[in-house]
């Protein structure tokens, strides 16, 4: 299948490291833009992280080129300036002021390339916190997400770099908006996105809950669910999530599992009434689901419109039949030559996915 390349012709230069900046650049690269990373000699240290950081570089640096440059040397700075002079977009996520001190701030580069859209991805937008150093985890703690994720009294970060990636996505939204404005004005601009404000935006639903109800939102493990059946259920072997999120689905669920007495109970016909009687309903349903295997539960639910999900681990997704059939994984060559697959950008455009065979950004100094 032909892959989607709607951003072909755009030139992007990256001064980035870790996750947030590379994640933003990876979206442009997946959509066909020409993305060049500027790395120090020896490469971005992110290439060599171990443990939970070992996946950062391969996930967010496909379809990119790379050069090595010592930005503190005249030659390296000149090479970076030359790239920026020809670029449509610049993405950076270093500490506030770092590129300005090197002569690569927005004002300096806009003087030589007025059409440049310059995206700074930071821990905080301008304000009292802007000089603090932030990481994904810092933002999750400060912005209320860790509080909402863990049980009461036990803040817990989400299980992926969700704020780095989402913050990078908001950066992409801002860049594309600036490109659209450039079509009308002929001029670029500086845009910014941040970790902290991204987190606050994501927990805005809980702030709105407080505003609407007058009661603070409880952490998700202790929340009062909006639905009576919205839980992980143990089966004979592996657990499965089931969500019954409407009155018609309740009737269908009861019929599928022969829950005749619950189906006939007039006091359970409406969702909010079922929520108030969760403690009565759930033991019977847990016992029934527990008497079946996960495969048996899924076989009954498949095609019914009732939301359900097996509880997958990340490694399970390499063999997920939907991803394999739909182009959700693309072949990637790792730096040591091994072949793997990694997730494709999760969109489709004009019937096309963005998946295509790729290698990681080459070791700086090599050509693509």
């Amino acid at each position: 299948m032909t892959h989607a390349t709607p951003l072909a012709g755009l030139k992007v230069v990256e001064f980035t490291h870790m996750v947030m900046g590379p994640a933003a650049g990876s979206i442009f690269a997946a959509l066909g833009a020409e993305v060049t990373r500027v790395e120090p000699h020896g490469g971005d240290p992110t290439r060599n992280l171990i443990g939970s950081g070992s996946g950062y570089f391969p996930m967010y640096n496909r379809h990119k080129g790379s050069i090595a440059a010592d930005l503190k040397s005249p030659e390296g700075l000149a090479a970076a300036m030359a790239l920026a002079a020809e670029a449509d977009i610049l993405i950076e996520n270093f500490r506030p002021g770092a590129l300005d001190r090197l002569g690569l701030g927005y004002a300096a580069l806009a003087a030589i390339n007025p059409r440049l859209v310059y995206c700074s991805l930071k821990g905080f937008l301008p304000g009292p916190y802007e000089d603090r150093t932030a990481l994904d985890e810092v933002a999750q703690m400060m912005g209320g997400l860790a509080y909402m994720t863990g049980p009461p009294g036990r803040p817990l970060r989400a299980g992926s770099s969700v704020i780095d990636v989402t913050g990078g996505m908001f950066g992409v939204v801002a860049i594309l908006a600036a490109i659209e404005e450039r079509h009308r004005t002929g001029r670029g601009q500086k845009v910014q996105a941040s970790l902290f404000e991204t987190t606050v935006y994501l927990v805005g639903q809980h702030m709105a809950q407080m505003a609407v109800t007058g009661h603070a939102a409880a952490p998700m493990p202790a929340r009062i669910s909006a639905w009576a059946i919205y839980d992980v259920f143990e089966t004979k072997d592996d657990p499965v999530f089931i969500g019954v999120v409407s009155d018609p689905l309740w009737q269908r669920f009861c019929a599928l599992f022969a829950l005749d007495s619950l189906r006939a109970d007039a006091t359970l016909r409406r969702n909010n009434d079922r929520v108030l009687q969760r403690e009565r309903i759930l033991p019977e349903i847990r016992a029934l689901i527990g008497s079946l295997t996960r495969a048996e539960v899924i076989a009954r639910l498949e095609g019914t419109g009732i939301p359900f999900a097996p509880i997958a681990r990340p490694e399970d997704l390499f063999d997920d039949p939907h991803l394999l059939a739909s182009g959700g994984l693309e072949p990637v060559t790792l730096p040591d030559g091994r072949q793997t697959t990694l997730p494709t950008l999760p969109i489709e455009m004009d019937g096309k996915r963005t998946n295509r065979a790729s290698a990681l950004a080459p070791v700086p100094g090599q050509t693509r």
Side-chain angles (χ1 to χ4, degrees):
M1 178 187 292
T2 304
H3 57 267
T5 56
L7 299 185
L10 284 179
K11 292 185 178 181
V12 181
V13 59
E14 271 191 47
F15 297 88
T16 66
H17 65 149
M18 298 294 279
V19 176
M20 191 185 193
S26 72
I27 296 173
F28 285 99
L31 291 173
E34 179 184 326
V35 180
T36 303
R37 296 201 63 201
V38 179
E39 301 184 54
H41 288 294
D44 175 2
T46 307
R47 291 176 178 266
N48 303 313
L49 293 176
I50 62 174
S52 62
S54 59
Y56 293 170
F57 198 86
M59 181 61 200
Y60 301 113
N61 290 283
R62 289 166 274 163
H63 313 298
K64 297 179 183 179
S66 181
I67 67 165
D70 177 1
L71 298 180
K72 294 182 179 179
S73 72
E75 298 81 10
L77 184 59
M81 293 283 282
L83 279 174
E86 298 295 323
D88 294 285
I89 299 158
L90 183 149
I91 301 171
E92 66 92 12
N93 72 316
F94 286 92
R95 292 194 65 179
L99 290 191
D100 297 83
R101 289 189 290 273
L102 293 169
L104 295 169
Y106 173 67
L109 295 182
I112 62 173
N113 182 2
R115 291 175 56 80
L116 181 67
V117 174
Y118 188 109
C119 179
S120 287
L121 300 171
K122 302 300 181 189
F124 306 89
L125 292 179
Y129 299 157
E130 65 183 296
D131 291 326
R132 292 188 186 182
T133 300
L135 303 168
D136 191 295
E137 200 140 343
V138 169
Q140 290 196 35
M141 297 293 171
M142 287 187 66
L145 182 58
Y147 172 83
M148 291 302 301
T149 302
R154 293 170 55 194
L156 181 69
R157 70 157 284 164
S160 73
S161 300
V162 61
I163 302 303
D164 274 322
V165 176
T166 308
M169 290 169 59
F170 279 124
V172 172
V173 171
I175 291 168
L176 293 177
I179 292 290
E180 174 61 25
E181 188 168 5
R182 191 179 74 177
H183 292 324
R184 300 190 297 274
T185 67
R187 297 189 62 82
Q189 62 183 279
K190 182 177 180 179
V191 300
Q192 296 188 74
S194 72
L195 296 172
F196 177 61
E197 281 82 358
T198 291
T199 312
V200 173
Y201 191 86
L202 294 183
V203 302
Q205 68 191 82
H206 304 304
M207 297 169 65
Q209 180 182 340
M210 173 67 180
V212 169
T213 68
H215 300 288
M220 295 299 275
R223 73 192 185 282
I224 297 175
S225 175
W227 301 283
I229 309 303
Y230 200 77
D231 298 85
V232 174
F233 293 87
E234 297 295 331
T235 71
K236 280 185 174 180
D237 42 28
D238 297 308
V240 61
F241 168 84
I242 303 172
V244 180
V245 294
S246 73
D247 296 335
L249 288 181
W250 167 251
Q251 293 293 315
R252 190 174 305 166
F253 177 78
C254 290
L256 285 169
F257 290 96
L259 294 164
D260 298 333
S261 62
L262 293 181
R263 186 183 186 193
D265 190 336
T267 70
L268 300 176
R269 295 285 169 79
R270 299 178 67 84
N271 178 74
N272 288 355
D273 294 330
R274 292 193 296 276
V275 171
L276 296 175
Q277 298 185 69
R278 270 173 56 90
E279 298 307 315
R280 177 167 75 88
I281 297 170
L282 280 174
E284 182 174 348
I285 294 175
R286 291 196 185 282
L288 174 61
I289 300 299
S291 71
L292 303 170
T293 66
R294 185 176 73 172
E296 289 171 334
V297 173
I298 289 174
R300 293 200 195 187
L301 293 172
E302 191 76 71
T304 66
I306 296 172
F308 72 91
I311 312 303
R313 297 165 296 185
E315 59 268 28
D316 297 333
L317 301 178
F318 287 112
D319 301 311
D320 183 89
H322 178 83
L323 295 175
L324 293 175
S326 64
L329 301 172
E330 65 182 22
V332 177
T333 302
L334 298 174
D336 61 6
R338 287 181 298 137
Q339 303 294 310
T340 189
T341 58
L342 290 173
T344 310
L345 202 65
I347 61 174
E348 183 179 275
M349 299 187 68
D350 197 23
K352 303 181 185 70
R353 295 295 298 269
T354 63
N355 60 312
R356 63 189 188 276
S358 64
L360 301 184
V363 175
Q366 297 178 336
T367 59
R368 284 197 203 195

